[in-house]
Amino acid sequence: MKKTDNVTVKLDFDNVELASALFGPQNSNLSNISEKSGVRIESRGNSLVLQASGEELIDPVAKTFTQLYSLLKSGKEVYPQDVESAYRILARDPSADLGSIFRDEMFAISPRKTLTPRSLTQRAYFSAVRDSDMTFAVGPAGTGKTYLAVAMAVHALTRKEVKKIILTRPAVEAGEKLGFLPGDLVDKVNPYLRPLYDALYDMLDHNKVQDLLEEGVIEIAPLAFMRGRTLNNAFIILDEAQNTTPEQMKMFITRMGFGSKVVVTGDVTQIDLPDKRHSGLVNATYILQNVKGISFIQFDDSDVVRHPLVARIIRAYDADEKHGS
């Protein structure tokens, strides 16, 4: 076996204060990225020395620090979670431009709500939805996947970029018990669609939401209701997509019509399908990874924007599952 020589790259930064902010307290950002990338990172004054067994390891690390430094020089704030998110983005897509991602500062959803991305992955999510016809957002609870998707849908509707919003979820939790629940079909499925209503009511006046629902401008329905339809000029969101079967996922994403955007959200660690059936979200992520026009955004526990304890809980469960496997 041929021995691979180490590759060394030196990065120089011309501002002591900005370099210090980039490296993090006690070089914590350097330690974090070194651990995740397998690249040895050493600080020497305002410089970094990167060393690894190949350029393919060093390239995303070097781009992470050089692009983030440029953002710092332009007056942008860069937080520790942004450094980790930047590395993940560039490791997946070396051609990514963090500057274009950071241009998504904030936008007005409605007169009562203005939204600002709270992590670099959320910024990448905004950018992906803006630039792609279909976006898959995968990651744990609390990262804003669904809430931000609904926000972007409302924003697109108010700007007349689409004519309607369609929000859907598989009602898998109901299973065969759906028929035994009291009330008509709407009463039976509404509990499983409640999070989508909650997001809407947080952004728009209650009466406005009711009017849009009655007019059919906003539609909230179980996934089964999508079969046989072609959805034109709509912003379509499939939530909890990990609980679709591959057949359901294919049915859903092929409903997309002209002038529409599709956002698919889910958490592959929370699959509730019966009989250990394969998840349509997992299947689609594998099959569609290289299809032009589709973007994939991966959130992790560092992107959780709920109480800080939530991120620690997620990490504890992840560690237990890995240990158990």
Side-chain angles (χ1 to χ4, degrees):
M1 182 181 292
K2 182 179 178 181
K3 183 178 179 180
T4 305
D5 294 330
N6 276 346
V7 176
T8 301
V9 171
K10 185 181 180 186
L11 306 176
D12 295 311
F13 306 103
D14 57 7
N15 184 295
V16 176
E17 188 175 339
L18 294 181
S20 177
L22 180 64
F23 300 169
Q26 298 180 323
N27 288 345
S28 56
N29 292 339
L30 307 186
S31 301
N32 187 25
I33 300 304
S34 178
E35 181 181 348
K36 286 177 166 48
S37 65
V39 174
R40 182 180 177 184
I41 306 175
E42 183 180 340
S43 64
R44 297 178 183 173
N46 297 352
S47 301
L48 291 180
V49 176
L50 314 180
Q51 191 173 68
S53 59
E55 290 183 8
E56 71 281 359
L57 294 176
I58 286 183
D59 185 56
V61 175
K63 286 179 176 177
T64 295
F65 288 110
T66 54
Q67 289 196 39
L68 288 178
Y69 184 73
S70 295
L71 287 168
L72 283 167
K73 289 192 74 172
S74 70
K76 304 290 186 185
E77 286 192 77
V78 174
Y79 300 100
Q81 63 266 32
D82 291 335
V83 180
E84 184 175 334
S85 296
Y87 170 71
R88 290 201 314 271
I89 291 166
L90 287 162
R92 288 195 300 268
D93 179 10
S95 65
D97 177 12
L98 300 184
S100 67
I101 293 172
F102 259 79
R103 74 184 172 186
D104 291 309
E105 292 295 341
M106 64 175 62
F107 65 86
I109 305 168
S110 67
R112 62 184 283 187
K113 196 79 175 179
T114 299
L115 202 62
T116 303
R118 295 177 63 181
S119 74
L120 189 52
T121 310
Q122 286 191 356
R123 292 176 187 272
Y125 188 20
F126 276 62
S127 182
V129 173
R130 182 188 59 234
D131 298 336
S132 303
D133 292 331
M134 184 177 294
T135 302
F136 285 77
V138 182
T143 51
K145 305 183 303 296
T146 303
Y147 188 87
L148 292 176
V150 175
M152 288 184 276
V154 172
H155 183 63
L157 182 68
T158 57
R159 290 167 60 90
K160 302 188 184 304
E161 294 170 2
V162 295
K163 293 182 178 179
K164 68 184 303 181
I165 296 172
I166 298 173
L167 310 174
T168 185
R169 287 179 127 196
V172 68
E173 299 93 335
E176 297 301 320
K177 301 174 185 176
L178 196 61
F180 297 98
L181 294 174
D184 59 19
L185 183 59
V186 173
D187 294 328
K188 292 175 181 181
V189 300
N190 267 354
Y192 305 100
L193 304 172
R194 190 75 248 168
L196 300 175
Y197 284 102
D198 290 344
L200 279 172
Y201 288 134
D202 192 47
M203 297 168 201
L204 296 171
D205 178 77
H206 187 279
N207 291 334
K208 178 68 173 176
V209 173
Q210 290 302 119
D211 290 343
L212 292 173
L213 287 168
E214 289 174 9
E215 294 165 9
V217 176
I218 295 179
E219 180 180 346
I220 304 178
L223 179 59
F225 283 32
M226 299 299 110
R227 190 175 299 279
R229 302 175 62 183
T230 299
L231 306 172
N232 295 315
N233 301 307
F235 198 115
I236 312 154
I237 299 170
L238 170 59
D239 190 36
E240 297 289 330
Q242 75 276 4
N243 288 326
T244 62
T245 64
E247 295 78 14
Q248 288 173 324
M249 177 63 78
K250 182 180 178 182
M251 178 276 292
F252 170 76
I253 59 180
T254 55
R255 298 307 93 201
M256 182 181 187
F258 291 104
S260 291
K261 278 191 181 290
V262 172
V263 177
V264 178
T265 70
D267 178 0
V268 295
T269 68
Q270 300 292 327
I271 297 171
D272 296 319
L273 289 167
D275 304 320
K276 297 183 178 180
R277 298 194 67 183
H278 291 296
S279 166
L281 179 59
V282 174
N283 183 255
T285 301
Y286 172 74
I287 292 175
L288 304 176
Q289 191 66 235
N290 297 313
V291 175
K292 186 177 179 180
I294 301 179
S295 293
F296 291 86
I297 300 296
Q298 181 67 54
F299 291 90
D300 66 19
D301 58 80
S302 69
D303 299 305
V304 172
V305 292
R306 293 179 181 170
H307 190 287
L309 182 58
V310 175
R312 297 197 291 272
I313 290 171
I314 292 170
R315 282 195 291 269
Y317 272 95
D318 287 345
D320 181 69
E321 288 175 6
K322 289 176 183 176
H323 180 73
S325 63

